[in-house]
Amino acid sequence: MTTAATNPHRAKKLFIKTWGCQMNVYDSGRMADILAPLGYAMADSPEEADMVILNTCHIREKATEKVFSDLGRLRPLKEAKTGDEPMIVAVAGCVAQAEGEEIAHRAPWVDMVFGPQTYHQLPEMVARAHRQAGRPLVNTDFPVESKFDHLPAEASESNGVQGASAFLSVQEGCDKFCTFCVVPYTRGAEYSRDVAGILAEARRLVGFGAREITLLGQNVNAFHGDGPDGSAWGLGRLIRALAEIDGLDRIRYTTSHPRDVDDELVAAHRDVPQLMPFLHLPVQSGSDRILTAMNRKHDAEAYRRIVDRLRAARPDLALSSDFIVGFPGETDRDFADTLRLVTEIGFAQAYSFKYSARPGTPAAALEDQLPEAVKDERLQALQQLLWAQQAAFNQDMAGKVVPVLLDRPGRRPGQLHGRSPWMQSVHLDAPARLLGTIQPVRITEAKPLSLTGTVMPAAAEEAA
Ligand code: 5AD
Ligand code: SF4
């Protein structure tokens, strides 16, 4: 009989908590894939886990402090854990990358700290973590080899497939160096995967039941992966190739930069019906002065022109954006320019944040940092406008019939959740057998944050 101590592949449990962007969600899935062959199955809570990974986000201040408070809660769990092997606690992601030494100092009982570019080395790290005592193993290199060449080819179902919708990471890192942003430091230089690997992963995801794939990258439309013909492909060309995969009905991409919207990408919006008419295209501010200080490399007028080109190509395109209020030196006038841009463009959805000074970024060193109260006030005013636009956009759907991808069970039995082409959540009563299909749905009620609808009778009868 093999005992737990001598069998390295005994059933063990892994709990991963994920903060931040979809890229982190994707990374967490891949970490689970890498650890599965070592015997780790997913746990529902940290209490029952043999290994806990906190996959962290460093984009704004609060996220970092939340990591430390989570670590504080994990410590007694780890200490209480009895058995032949101690619990492994790991911090991954961008806080790990940026503050590896700080974590090692403040939480020396943590076993491993590793950044977003080294998690393919998890098996070696786990082996070493068991031997390491008194200090975490800190692995925040930017290795020369790409993790994508070392991740398991046969990904398990955990690899981003959540119901009918999956994430696929195609590009990582950023060379733009916006002055407020930590990403170029935590995720490293811009890197694109090669096209063949992406297409193979997309086919696998569709094989697992994905009907929709969201291509991920910190700067996804800067994608320039090696194509099978040896030339570099842009995102537009990649999207055309993906659209040829049978069973892949919806394609999205996020997050994009206005500067990298090229003609090929605009043409893809015009020609590829699978490319959904919803685009997250962050502008951050409507003031040219602030855009320059942010090093965004475009002005407000350039953004308006890009949106015009995209809307000419795909008239039903809806837009989403990120905004930062209270960037150092932002005046009332600058902020008014932002409100004006929002009013002119009209956003279906948006995220807005108070500027948060991140250590090591150029903007953190600027002198004219704004008081919290000013930031609060501006955030409120901006959000009010954006919420009104979102509510109006949703209201416009009332009474219409829209194709909805039924991607997961709803809150109550007999209910399903779905997504419209414009990313709106749609709640409806429908049989579970319709999960993973796209159905024509009449929108019966439009609320500010979601829609309610009914599957059109023909489709419902066919399925019955
Ligand atoms: N402060 C506030 N918001 C930030 N973002 C990035 N860095 C900061 C910061 N230092 C926002 C930007 C970005 C989004 C992912 O997070 O709007 O687009
Ligand atoms: Fe950060 Fe700017 Fe790069 Fe986006 S484009 S990841 S905001 S540096």
Side-chain angles (χ1 to χ4, degrees):
M1 201 184 99
T2 7
T3 64
T6 54
N7 179 4
H9 298 303
R10 79 177 173 92
K12 286 178 276 192
K13 290 258 175 148
L14 167 69
F15 183 80
I16 307 183
K17 178 165 175 178
T18 309
W19 282 270
C21 63
Q22 285 117 330
M23 181 81 73
N24 265 13
V25 176
Y26 175 88
D27 287 345
S28 292
R30 303 313 315 259
M31 290 178 208
D33 291 338
I34 296 162
L35 292 169
L38 272 68
Y40 285 97
M42 296 313 283
D44 293 324
S45 72
E47 283 78 13
E48 60 185 66
D50 300 281
M51 183 182 332
V52 175
I53 301 178
L54 303 181
N55 192 10
T56 62
C57 171
H58 198 238
I59 205 96
R60 282 171 298 277
E61 209 151 17
K62 278 195 191 127
T64 311
E65 279 318 306
K66 281 185 193 149
V67 173
F68 281 106
S69 72
D70 262 50
L71 282 176
R73 278 196 295 276
L74 281 172
R75 186 178 193 169
L77 264 189
K78 179 180 164 118
E79 286 170 353
K81 186 107 181 163
T82 50
D84 27 81
E85 281 175 16
M87 180 196 251
I88 296 180
V89 174
V91 184
C94 292
V95 175
Q97 186 67 41
E99 304 199 19
E101 287 309 319
E102 165 98 4
I103 296 164
H105 181 70
R106 275 175 69 179
W109 52 272
V110 164
D111 300 282
M112 306 186 291
V113 180
F114 54 92
Q117 306 309 344
T118 52
Y119 65 76
H120 59 292
Q121 298 165 358
L122 258 170
E124 296 103 280
M125 290 193 268
V126 169
R128 279 166 60 198
H130 282 303
R131 294 198 302 271
Q132 201 102 3
R135 196 194 136 78
L137 169 79
V138 179
N139 184 358
T140 50
D141 299 341
F142 287 106
V144 244
E145 85 272 11
S146 158
K147 68 178 175 230
F148 292 110
D149 297 331
H150 294 80
L151 292 170
E154 280 311 314
S156 71
E157 206 150 346
S158 66
N159 179 18
V161 182
Q162 294 168 336
S165 189
F167 292 135
L168 202 174
S169 192
V170 303
Q171 181 280 337
E172 218 179 316
C174 182
D175 293 342
K176 292 277 189 303
F177 290 92
C178 299
T179 54
F180 53 81
C181 185
V182 288
V183 165
Y185 312 98
T186 58
R187 288 270 170 180
E190 212 173 277
Y191 168 83
S192 298
R193 289 176 70 180
D194 63 60
V195 170
I198 295 168
L199 294 178
E201 189 170 336
R203 284 191 205 100
R204 246 182 345 251
L205 292 170
V206 171
F208 277 136
R211 303 283 305 268
E212 169 177 277
I213 289 182
T214 302
L215 306 175
L216 298 181
Q218 261 93 32
N219 214 188
V220 71
N221 56 336
F223 176 81
H224 56 273
D226 288 340
D229 53 357
S231 72
W233 286 29
L235 188 65
R237 192 159 175 202
L238 178 68
I239 287 167
R240 280 179 200 268
L242 285 164
E244 281 170 22
I245 297 177
D246 247 5
L248 179 55
D249 299 317
R250 292 184 166 192
I251 302 170
R252 303 178 186 277
Y253 62 89
T254 195
T255 284
S256 45
H257 192 290
R259 274 285 293 242
D260 295 318
V261 177
D262 61 10
D263 291 341
E264 201 185 23
L265 187 57
V266 175
H269 279 281
R270 182 190 61 210
D271 300 336
V272 180
Q274 293 94 327
L275 184 56
M276 288 292 100
F278 178 86
L279 177 59
H280 184 62
L281 189 65
V283 65
Q284 314 293 357
S285 167
S287 151
D288 290 343
R289 231 174 49 82
I290 296 298
L291 286 168
T292 304
M294 288 177 164
N295 191 30
R296 290 291 291 177
K297 304 174 174 46
H298 66 81
D299 58 15
E301 187 48 34
Y303 187 83
R304 290 185 183 92
R305 280 200 311 269
I306 292 160
V307 169
D308 286 347
R309 277 163 61 215
L310 286 161
R311 281 179 167 158
R314 182 85 202 227
D316 62 343
L317 187 84
L319 286 154
S320 146
S321 175
D322 292 338
F323 294 92
I324 295 178
V325 299
F327 186 82
E330 185 188 69
T331 62
D332 284 339
R333 202 174 177 162
D334 293 320
F335 180 61
D337 285 345
T338 298
L339 294 178
R340 189 158 57 87
L341 182 84
V342 171
T343 307
E344 285 166 10
I345 302 273
F347 290 93
Q349 203 223 310
Y351 302 94
S352 38
F353 311 102
K354 288 190 283 181
Y355 169 72
S356 151
R358 309 310 290 132
T361 57
L366 294 174
E367 269 172 16
D368 33 5
Q369 303 285 330
L370 298 194
E372 255 341 88
V374 174
K375 294 186 200 172
D376 283 331
E377 205 176 295
R378 288 183 187 162
L379 186 69
Q380 249 198 347
L382 177 60
Q383 289 191 335
Q384 215 163 30
L385 177 59
L386 289 166
W387 282 334
Q389 290 191 340
Q390 178 168 0
F393 181 77
N394 284 350
Q395 193 54 50
D396 198 44
M397 296 287 150
K400 289 188 178 154
V401 176
V402 298
V404 172
L405 172 59
L406 300 166
D407 63 347
R408 56 186 147 94
R411 271 186 231 118
R412 286 192 293 276
Q415 278 192 339
L416 295 182
H417 172 276
R419 292 264 179 204
S420 79
W422 303 278
M423 280 301 274
Q424 294 145 304
S425 275
V426 185
H427 303 283
L428 38 82
D429 292 328
R433 76 179 89 91
L434 291 187
L435 261 182
T437 67
I438 296 173
Q439 299 293 341
V441 168
R442 184 175 297 283
I443 303 304
T444 50
E445 193 189 352
K447 288 183 240 155
L449 295 177
S450 68
L451 308 173
T452 307
T454 51
V455 178
M456 295 296 283
E461 275 159 29
E462 237 168 69

